[in-house]
Amino acid sequence: SPSKSLKLVDDIPLAIANTDLDYSIISWDGRQAYPHAHKHYILTQDGNPLEAAANLFEFMHQADQDASELILAERVPDSGLGRAINDRLKRASL
């Protein structure tokens, strides 16, 4: 688990609107840009759950080490390997 707060969210723009903290984002894909994020980590460019799972721990570590105050992590599609990814993100958010 990261040492800084990680918030698992369904709606990143809503989460951004409700925080005054400097944040980094871990998102499922690159559909949307977040220019005000400290950093934006994209788990997969093409919706590949294997790629997302492979990137998850590295991106969580990088986000934990960057200068942001908060990590906003987008819930991924909750089927197959996505369930395991969401479970890991949920555990990290506690």
Side-chain angles (χ1 to χ4, degrees), residues 3-24:
S3 59
K4 67 177 74 165
S5 181
L6 183 146
K7 185 173 182 184
L8 181 59
V9 300
D10 292 310
D11 186 330
I12 291 176
L14 180 62
I16 290 169
N18 289 313
T19 187
D20 292 328
L21 299 175
D22 184 30
Y23 56 88
S24 287

Side-chain angles (χ1 to χ4, degrees), residues 6-16 18 25-29 31-32 34 71-78 82 86 89-90 93:
L6 183 146
K7 185 173 182 184
L8 181 59
V9 300
D10 292 310
D11 186 330
I12 291 176
L14 180 62
I16 290 169
N18 289 313
I25 293 172
I26 298 175
S27 70
W28 167 244
D29 59 27
R31 288 175 295 171
Q32 188 165 349
Y34 300 100
I71 303 167
L72 297 174
E74 179 180 38
R75 191 177 315 275
V76 305
D78 200 37
N86 284 331
L89 288 169
K90 182 179 177 183
S93 71

Side-chain angles (χ1 to χ4, degrees), residues 9-81:
V9 300
D10 292 310
D11 186 330
I12 291 176
L14 180 62
I16 290 169
N18 289 313
T19 187
D20 292 328
L21 299 175
D22 184 30
Y23 56 88
S24 287
I25 293 172
I26 298 175
S27 70
W28 167 244
D29 59 27
R31 288 175 295 171
Q32 188 165 349
Y34 300 100
H36 298 292
H38 180 77
K39 289 277 217 172
H40 182 189
Y41 304 94
I42 300 169
L43 292 173
T44 177
Q45 291 291 337
D46 61 2
N48 182 330
L50 290 173
E51 178 185 16
N55 288 329
L56 179 62
F57 289 105
E58 178 61 26
F59 289 169
M60 284 176 53
H61 176 72
Q62 288 179 26
D64 194 33
Q65 299 301 312
D66 72 27
S68 67
E69 300 170 277
L70 171 68
I71 303 167
L72 297 174
E74 179 180 38
R75 191 177 315 275
V76 305
D78 200 37
S79 62
L81 192 52

